[in-house]
Structure formats: C-alpha cells, structure tokens
Amino acid sequence: MIPPAAPPSDDRGPAPGLLGCQVPLEEYAVLGDGHTAALVSRRGSVDWLCLPRFDSDACFAALLGTPEHGRWLLTVRDATEVTRRYRRDSFVLETTYRSARGTAVATEAMPLGDGRADIVRRVECTDGEVEVEHEWVVRFGYGAVVPWVRHDTDADGCDSIRAVAGPDSVVLRGDRLPQADDHRHRDRFTLHAGESVELSMTWVHSWEPVPPRLSVPDRVDATAVAWGAWARGCTYDGPYREAVIRSLLVLRMLSDVTTGGIVAAPTTSLPETFGGERNWDYRYCWLRDAALTLEALLEQGFRDEATQWRDWLERAVAGEPEDLQIMYRLDGSRRLPETRLDHLPGYAGSRPVRLGNDAVGQVQHDVLGEVMSALAMARDTGLSETAGSWSLQRRLVDDLAAAWREPDRGIWEVRGRPQHFTHSKIMAWAALDRAVHAVETHDLPGPVERWRQVRQDIRDDVLAHGWDAERGTFVQHYGATHTDASLLQLVHVGFLPADGPHVRGTVAAIREELEVAPGLLLRYRTSRTDDGLAGAEAPFLACSFWLADALARGDDVAGAAQVLDAVVPLANDVGLLAEQYDPWERRMAGNVPQALSHLALVRAAHSHRLAVARAEATTVAGAR
C-alpha cells in the first residue's frame, strides 16, 4: 500500500518512534485454550499470559513493561530467518528458525479439553545444529510479585520447578530445566539434528497437588484435531475464505467454553495512541461485541455457541432492567472498578495501564439493539426461546421503550458529556423492531401495538434530528454537522434500504470525512468529538469492514472488494488483527487480537459473497 498523505495533526494518530525496544504488536501470535490466551512473539517470548482465565492476573506481563515483569523465552539464538504458521485450522503454533549453522522448529500450544491450564513447548533441530536460549521469569500480580521458587519432585518422580505466590502457582517441567540466576531461571544449550527438548508449564492453586505430566506430542496433536474439527463446521465458501476461517477461530478462542462469556480481546492497555492515555482493559464481556460475535458465528453455521451465550446472558443480566450493564466479567460478575497499575511503564510508554473499565457504569442505548438483533437471528435459525429468555427480553425492551429519548455515551463509550447519538437511536429502533418481529413471526407474547408505536416514534425522531438534509447524510449526534463511522451499521439492521439515498449519502460523507487511506476509516474525528481524552488515534479496523459490508449490501460489489482487498491483508503473518492500524507507520495499534475486527471481517466477507451471488443471478436472468 502506498502510504497516505499525512492528515491534520489533530487526527494524525500514533506518533512515530515510540516503540523503543518493545516488540511491534504485529509480531505476536496467540495461543488459547477456551479459558485464557497467551501472546507469543516471533522470537519465542511469551510476553502476556493471565491464568487461569482471561480476566485473571497476569504472570507474564513483559508486554506492558520489560522482561523483569515476567516472560517465558524459548528461542534459537542467532537465527537469521524466522517464519511461523498455525498448524492448519488451529492454534498450534509452528515457528521455524534458520541460522548459519542449522534449522529448528518450535511447536507450542495450550491444550484443549483436559480441564487444566497448560502451555506446552517443543523445540526440535531438523538440520545441522542450533543454540537454544531459555529464560523463565515468573511474576504474579501483573509483574509486581516475585514468587517463592523451588525445585521439587512431581508425582511422576521427575524434577520440576514450582513458583508460588498467594493463591497462584505454576510448575515448569521438561527434558531440561533452567537454572536459577538472580530471580529468574536461565539456560543455553545446543541441539543437533534429530534432537529435541520438550517443556510444559501448568497453573494450579498453590494449595493443590501438581497434576500429572502431559505427553506433549499427544496433547499438541489432539489440540490441533479439536480446533480443526470445530473449523470444519463453517459453511463459508466464498472469497477471503482463509481470513474468514482464521477470524472465526479467533472468535471461538475468545469465548469461554465453560461460562459462554465472550471477551473483546485477551489483553489490556495496548494503546490506541502510542505514548498516550487511550489504553483500555478489554478482557471482559461487552454485550455489544458478544452479540455481534454471535451473529458472525450464526451466519457461518455455528449454533451451539448461540445457546451457550444466551444462557450466559440470562444469568449475567438477571435482575431489574434498569440494572443492565454494558459489560460483565466472564462469569457474569458485575464489579469492574477501573484501577491503575503504576508499577508498569506501559507498552511504548503508554500510560496509564488500566485494570477494569469505568465504562461499565455508562448508559449506552445501542446495546440492546445489538443483543435483540443477535437473539432474533438465533430464533430465525431455529433456536427456541425458553420462558425465561423471552421474559427477560420483554422486560429489557419495555425499559428501553421508556428511556430511549435520553442522551447516552454511545457505542464509543465517550467520557465527555452524553449526547443524543444517532447510532444509539437507530439501534434502539432495531431493538423494538426485533421485538415486534418476535411477536409477529414467532407468536411470542408482548405488547406489540405499543412496541410498533415506539418503533415509529424513534424512526421519526432520527429522520427529524439525525439527518442533515443540506449535506445529505446522517450525523454523529443531534445538532452535529460531522459524521461517525458507526452510522454504517444502519444498513446492518435494516433501518433504511441499503441502496437508498440516505444510505448512499451517509456512506459518501463518511468516506469523505473519515477515510484516511484506501479503505481505512477513523471512528470519528477526535477534534470534533468530545470523548473526554487527549490525543488522536489510528483507523479502526472494524469500521473499515463495516464500510465494505455497507457497500456489499448496497450491491456495490466492486467497491466492497476494493475495501476488502485493502484491509484483509493488514492481518499479520498468522492472520491476527488488532483494534486499529496505523497506515503512516504501518503497524498495528490497540488490543490484539480484537474480536470486533475479526467479526466485522467475517460479516463483511459474508455480505460480499451474497452480493456476488445476487449479481451473478441478475446476469443469468438477463441473459435468458
């Protein structure tokens, strides 16, 4: 891609030269076991891992600091070439190191389905000889707590190293263990062709016995098979299929297999602005993101996840409708107080490093629109409502019907003053529309006449106050003259025809105002939006895919393909997308991997495939 011209300074995005010695975000791959995830750099350093769940404390936090804050390095020294891939459709990572003297392949995974929290790693020299470097630095409490570490004998009579602090412990076992060296463990050794070393690390409560050792090859193979079996359930067969499959795998990896909760990302505080304060903890379950994830999965044939997530939702939001939160913890817990980890310097000096998220207390009227849309799709694909699930939806819709006229914080969770965000109103309309549809199509009980009237009231209000007739576009909020990329979602929910003048005008205005490189959109101009924060940010990848989606739904097949062709290749070498992409410095920004980016890719590709099919059908019909 040709670098775009620099935008105005107030919207320039990340400043150059701030990465220092930290690993660029695109250099990370992810391992996951359906409960948590680890970020592994290209050079074999596990720099981020929270155990045993996504929202637990990290024991490796070098991602937000230095190796002193915890990491697990296993690499080939002096490698001049490093390539990597996932084994087929899985999260078994294979990294090939080539040096002047030889070649080695590292294989690593977090095993699935055994009720444990493990990382297994294996390095095999396949040619010549290689020098392997091993460093194990455990720091509990996000790098703040140096554990008590001792050599021990496990239940199998083998040497092991156990690190303990408070309720947490991890146990390192393997063919060759590192030696203590100033509050860390280090080793360096040579492997010759045909030789290998296997290592595993297991989390266990500090008061519990250590579980038996794993057979590393067996667990790696079984994990690859399990991921592959799940991926084979995908029905997608159109363009960009490889990216779609990887994105669906990421969405499944970010879903807790026990509770059904879906996290927005496995990381916290990876900056939207390098060196700035736009750093957020995304290791929680946003109702919006989870609902959109559910729609992406349903469109590709995955129904079991819909049932599990609906059950999670019913448990999490149980109570009075006015107590609805926009996000919850994985287990449905409500308390997410935002605190700061002042001992961590932050990624590229980006501070504060945050835990929790104060947005939990915000009013965001759009959320129920996404939730009701996802549940409507699930009903339409055959998921039967329970008495409890529909009763919950009725109560939430009735509460929104009484509150939609109030201002809110919107989809972007602004920390400035509340506004009458046009997107929020449109999504409130969607919530009422799906409730009406449930009564009319599925014979579910509800005050349908009242819901129809509220739906019409919202529509009239949006057209009267959210539409700028002079510019021919919807605007970010009532009284504004500027746009917002979230307005592209009005096409997704059917508020207006995708090929109509309102949609075409809004898409054109958004591109004129927010497209800073081919296919790459800002969420909004920070200079025109009171979001309560300093600095600017890079283009938001989900918005780019929303653009492709909107173009495809409006039957602009070529336009949608141009955007997808520009944005899909921005994934890293193993197919992962962060929250944002900086086209000026050509690097990722924000938390990674980001569910919203991946689900938006899936849905945009799906809409593009349908648009292609419609165009082909029209061509065939015209030829008759």
Side-chain angles (χ1 to χ4, degrees):
M1 178 189 295
I2 298 173
S9 59
D10 59 350
D11 286 308
R12 180 168 176 83
L18 288 175
L19 285 178
C21 62
Q22 285 184 295
V23 176
L25 297 180
E26 55 271 20
E27 292 288 305
Y28 284 102
V30 67
L31 312 175
D33 64 0
H35 296 287
T36 189
L39 264 62
V40 187
S41 75
R42 180 185 296 274
R43 288 287 178 172
S45 182
V46 180
D47 287 344
W48 181 255
L49 177 61
C50 301
L51 288 171
R53 302 192 319 183
F54 290 105
D55 53 4
S56 299
D57 287 9
C59 63
F60 299 139
L63 180 68
L64 300 175
T66 71
E68 278 298 318
H69 296 106
R71 71 166 181 176
W72 185 11
L73 175 69
L74 185 65
T75 192
V76 173
R77 288 177 54 82
D78 302 324
T80 56
E81 180 185 350
V82 181
T83 57
R84 59 187 179 171
R85 63 174 188 172
Y86 286 119
R87 184 185 296 181
R88 298 183 295 278
D89 296 330
S90 78
F91 286 103
V92 173
L93 183 66
E94 296 179 336
T95 304
T96 301
Y97 297 93
R98 293 182 175 87
S99 70
R101 294 187 298 153
T103 302
V105 177
T107 304
E108 45 207 329
M110 296 188 74
L112 296 177
D114 54 13
R116 298 167 46 146
D118 300 279
I119 295 184
V120 296
R121 313 183 79 179
R122 182 176 189 270
V123 179
E124 179 182 6
C125 181
T126 58
D127 178 65
E129 64 178 29
V130 294
E131 187 176 9
V132 178
E133 183 175 2
H134 185 196
E135 182 178 72
W136 192 62
V137 186
V138 178
R139 299 289 186 267
F140 293 111
Y142 301 98
V145 179
V146 178
W148 175 45
V149 183
R150 70 181 188 275
H151 275 264
D152 206 347
T153 301
D154 67 15
D156 299 310
C158 299
D159 188 28
S160 65
I161 305 174
R162 189 169 188 177
V164 177
D168 294 301
S169 77
V170 290
V171 181
L172 180 66
R173 292 176 285 193
D175 298 331
R176 180 186 174 111
L177 297 181
Q179 300 300 308
D181 180 10
D182 190 22
H183 297 94
R184 62 183 64 205
H185 285 71
R186 289 173 166 160
D187 193 13
R188 189 178 295 177
F189 55 93
T190 299
L191 290 178
H192 299 88
E195 295 179 339
S196 64
V197 62
E198 295 177 359
L199 295 157
S200 67
M201 189 184 83
T202 304
W203 177 90
V204 63
H205 283 300
S206 58
W207 57 85
E208 292 180 341
V210 176
R213 295 183 69 174
L214 295 172
S215 168
V216 172
D218 289 346
R219 293 309 302 146
V220 167
D221 291 345
T223 296
V225 168
W227 281 117
W230 184 86
R232 284 194 294 276
C234 176
T235 59
Y236 185 82
D237 61 356
Y240 316 102
R241 189 174 191 277
E242 183 177 349
V244 167
I245 295 294
R246 178 53 54 190
S247 292
L248 289 167
L249 284 163
V250 169
L251 297 177
R252 188 68 185 106
M253 186 269 296
L254 294 176
S255 305
D256 187 275
V257 296
T258 300
T259 68
I262 304 171
V263 298
T267 53
T268 180
S269 300
L270 293 179
E272 298 170 1
T273 304
F274 294 106
E277 64 174 336
R278 295 173 180 264
N279 319 312
W280 313 108
D281 192 348
Y282 277 8
R283 299 169 303 143
Y284 308 113
C285 305
W286 271 256
L287 297 187
R288 175 193 304 109
D289 296 43
L292 293 171
T293 295
L294 187 62
E295 289 186 288
L297 291 169
L298 283 168
E299 285 179 337
Q300 306 311 324
F302 297 101
R303 292 182 54 193
D304 291 346
E305 290 74 16
T307 302
Q308 188 180 33
W309 181 76
R310 188 190 63 187
D311 293 344
W312 175 89
L313 176 71
E314 191 172 346
R315 296 191 305 270
V317 306
E320 295 300 318
E322 58 268 23
D323 295 332
L324 178 73
Q325 295 183 176
I326 65 161
M327 73 179 84
Y328 299 83
R329 299 186 79 95
L330 276 165
D331 60 3
S333 301
R334 292 171 171 263
R335 289 183 56 81
L336 301 171
E338 188 171 302
T339 58
R340 301 184 176 193
L341 297 178
D342 292 333
H343 68 279
L344 287 172
Y347 183 88
S350 307
R351 304 184 73 183
V353 173
R354 290 183 168 96
L355 297 185
N357 200 309
D358 276 348
V360 68
Q362 290 187 356
V363 174
Q364 299 174 15
H365 289 317
D366 71 291
V367 169
L368 191 59
E370 283 98 359
V371 169
M372 291 296 292
S373 294
L375 293 176
M377 183 183 289
R379 276 193 301 271
D380 291 343
T381 56
L383 179 65
S384 299
E385 291 286 359
T386 66
S389 65
W390 177 244
S391 174
L392 171 65
Q393 291 170 64
R394 281 189 58 176
R395 294 172 66 199
L396 293 174
V397 169
D398 283 337
D399 185 68
L400 180 62
W404 70 269
R405 292 186 183 275
E406 299 298 320
D408 73 333
R409 303 282 182 172
I411 184 174
W412 306 129
E413 303 180 348
V414 299
R415 300 197 173 195
R417 67 183 184 279
Q419 299 279 5
H420 291 281
F421 286 103
T422 304
H423 171 264
S424 294
K425 306 295 187 186
I426 290 171
M427 296 310 297
W429 174 91
L432 271 296
D433 180 73
R434 274 44 176 185
V436 170
H437 177 77
V439 175
E440 294 176 340
T441 305
H442 297 279
D443 296 323
L444 293 169
V448 68
E449 291 300 329
R450 177 161 58 85
W451 287 347
R452 287 193 189 108
Q453 184 58 57
V454 175
R455 179 180 63 177
Q456 186 63 46
D457 291 344
I458 298 173
R459 179 185 175 86
D460 293 343
D461 194 68
V462 169
L463 292 174
H465 303 291
W467 174 256
D468 184 333
E470 183 176 343
R471 292 190 61 200
T473 180
F474 284 106
V475 292
Q476 184 185 54
H477 57 79
Y478 292 2
T481 59
H482 56 276
T483 62
D484 183 311
S486 66
L487 295 167
L488 293 166
Q489 288 197 298
L490 69 91
V491 183
H492 301 177
V493 297
F495 184 76
L496 287 169
D499 58 352
H502 287 79
V503 171
R504 288 200 305 269
T506 300
V507 170
I510 287 172
R511 298 195 76 168
E512 179 182 1
E513 186 176 332
L514 301 179
E515 189 172 14
V516 297
L520 291 175
L521 299 184
L522 301 171
R523 294 188 292 179
Y524 50 80
R525 291 281 178 178
T526 56
S527 57
R528 301 176 189 173
T529 301
D530 178 21
D531 63 9
L533 298 165
E537 56 185 47
F540 199 83
L541 289 174
C543 297
S544 298
F545 291 119
W546 291 346
L547 172 61
D549 197 326
L551 292 170
R553 291 174 190 250
D555 287 327
D556 184 355
V557 176
Q562 287 176 351
V563 174
L564 288 168
D565 288 344
V567 183
V568 169
L570 299 181
N572 72 359
D573 58 321
V574 289
L576 303 183
L577 292 167
E579 182 179 17
Q580 300 180 1
Y581 184 82
D582 176 6
W584 304 285
E585 296 299 317
R586 298 184 179 183
R587 66 192 186 204
M588 293 182 179
N591 287 298
V592 61
Q594 179 82 358
L596 193 59
S597 299
H598 283 282
L599 70 89
L601 183 157
V602 172
R603 303 206 70 191
H606 179 77
S607 293
H608 175 259
R609 181 187 65 171
L610 295 179
V612 169
R614 288 193 298 270
E616 291 174 347
T618 300
T619 300
V620 171
R624 289 174 179 171

